[in-house]
Amino acid sequence: MILVTGGAGFLGSNFVLDWLAQCDEPVTNLDKLTYAGNPENLASLAGNAGHRFIQGDIADTELVAGLLSAHKTRAIVNFAAESHVDRSIHGPEDFVQTNIVGTFRLLEAARAYWNKLEAEERKAFRFLHVSTDEVYGSLDKEDPAFTETRRYEPNSPYSASKAASDHLVRAYHHTYGLPVLTTNCSNNYGPYHFPEKLIPLVIHNALAGKSLPIYGDGQQIRDWLYVKDHCSAIRRVLEAGRAGETYNIGGCNEKPNLEVVHLLCAILDELKPGADGRSYKEQIVYVTDRPGHDRRYAIDAGKIERELGWRPAETFETGLRKTVQWYLDNQAWVRNVTSGAYREWVGKNYQDRK
Ligand code: NAD
Ligand code: TYD
């Protein structure tokens, strides 16, 4: 059995769905169900005996200890986190609590469980920590892409809290010998992405006839990866990664935000033309920039390709098209996640941006 944490969120739910579609090893899915966790993402698993969902906190050591020892757990894959930079600017405390304290408690529970395993099981056990490229800070235009040895320079409360969690994971290997793996991935997009992040927000706002907010000059660069490619990379690292190592994961798809939004508008113009015949591009507005906004992220994924033979399957164009189609086909999902508390967040984040 593997224990997946945060498996009702964007990445976690894609990972659990993919995992159970490809093998019959059961998954225990521990998720606190914050605003970002959505059991509807897992609706297709109803009645699947391989999936056991538990609502709870990774910081609840007792609960985690019980889950680990109730089954023969051979790996933990930790997706649970507060994940949105803008929310971390408005309220960093939850980020410290879940990303730092939560990861620490999860590591403690894992260490206690792992210590009691037989020698062979101890060797095979893995704690895989899912992290982000944002821990490396911001690149200038001409800088080389991030490698695994790049110095950590986190700039937002979000990336600082993820950096702290990465350091704890590293220390548990170095000090206690816990067989950990860390993955640092670039920006993902795809199905079940909560519409607070750029790509799903733009699709949602475009279809709702609302403005498409571009922070600052829109020339900030992100390195986009289709979520299912991230899932296949994590599976590969879990299977063959060397304990104690970190692996950067990316799609070799550096794009300025404005270009991403233009591409989304062009796909929407084709798949769902507006009734008045005008392009969705006309809904673009420039708004006040994010404080401390990182200019550029870029991943050098050479290590995972060389050592583990992983490469992404989707190009940005094919992945983006699939994503837009998914949102068009799943408007009920979008309606459900954009009611209630979502509206409060949109008010808070956008009302003071000129
Ligand atoms: P998300 O916000 O969509 O989902 C996070 C999930 O964790 C939610 O289901 C939430 O309910 C759960 N959760 C939050 N606090 C918890 C707690 N204390 N205990 C248990 N569950 C808790 O995030 P995501 O985009 O799926 O990201 C998952 C992980 O991947 C994060 O660690 C993030 O830093 C990392 N990551 C994300 C991206 C990306 O582009 N989305 C890229 C690289 C790395
Ligand atoms: P986001 O999806 O929040 O991911 P991250 O901040 O983790 O990279 O944002 C992606 C980029 O899009 C980032 O440079 C900020 C920008 N952005 C906008 O221009 N407008 C928006 O409304 C949002 C949410 C993001």
Side-chain angles (χ1 to χ4, degrees), residues 5-13 30-38 56-59 78-84 94 97-99 102 129-134 158 162 183-189 192-194 196-197 224-225 230:
T5 71
F10 166 48
L11 296 187
S13 60
L30 172 66
D31 195 297
K32 190 176 171 184
L33 296 182
T34 67
Y35 79 93
N38 184 357
D57 194 327
I58 53 166
N78 182 31
F79 292 96
E82 290 293 335
S83 69
H84 187 31
D94 286 348
Q97 182 56 37
T98 283
N99 299 1
H129 181 59
V130 179
S131 193
T132 164
D133 60 357
E134 304 194 23
Y158 163 64
K162 290 297 291 185
T183 55
N184 293 88
C185 187
S186 58
N187 286 59
N188 284 216
Y189 64 98
Y192 305 112
H193 205 183
F194 192 72
E196 64 184 355
K197 308 278 169 64
W224 295 95
L225 181 71
H230 190 183

